[in-house]
């Protein structure tokens, strides 16, 4: 996802993002190459992270209708919500 790649370049270092789901905050790593890492798995879009990562971790099965918006993430260090 070019949005993730551009953000990673802008930040210049591995960054911890927060994604809330059902009131629980989950930490997601945005690496310097623009990939999202969660629980040892790598995802290249926010939607794949949600469906095959967070939703699957919580519910035990893959989701089918996640969101691809960047605004679902908050930068942990600053509290800033990402913009689409």
């Amino acid at each position: 996802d070019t949005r993730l790649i551009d953000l990673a370049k802008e930040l210049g270092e591995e960054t911890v993002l927060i994604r809330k789901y059902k009131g629980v905050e989950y930490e997601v790593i945005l690496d310097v190459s623009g990939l999202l890492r969660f629980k040892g798995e790598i995802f290249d879009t926010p939607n794949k992270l949600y469906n095959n990562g967070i939703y699957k971790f919580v519910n035990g099965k893959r989701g089918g209708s996640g969101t691809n918006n960047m605004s679902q993430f908050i930068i942990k260090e600053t509290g800033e919500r990402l913009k689409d």
Side-chain angles (χ1 to χ4, degrees), residues 3-4 6 17 22 33 38 44 53-54 63:
R3 298 169 304 163
L4 294 172
D6 292 343
L17 305 176
K22 292 189 174 184
S33 62
F38 177 74
D44 61 359
I54 295 172

Side-chain angles (χ1 to χ4, degrees), residues 12-64:
E13 62 186 6
E14 192 170 274
T15 304
V16 178
L17 305 176
I18 300 295
R19 173 44 160 107
K20 275 190 179 181
Y21 179 66
K22 292 189 174 184
V24 177
E25 293 183 349
Y26 295 94
E27 289 190 4
V28 177
I29 303 295
L30 175 66
D31 70 20
V32 294
S33 62
L35 295 172
L36 297 166
R37 299 176 180 271
F38 177 74
K39 302 287 183 192
E41 295 189 54
I42 300 171
F43 306 95
D44 61 359
T45 70
N47 190 48
K48 288 178 186 174
L49 165 75
Y50 174 80
N51 284 326
N52 302 327
I54 295 172
Y55 187 94
K56 184 178 176 185
F57 174 75
V58 174
N59 298 298
K61 60 182 179 179
R62 289 178 28 183

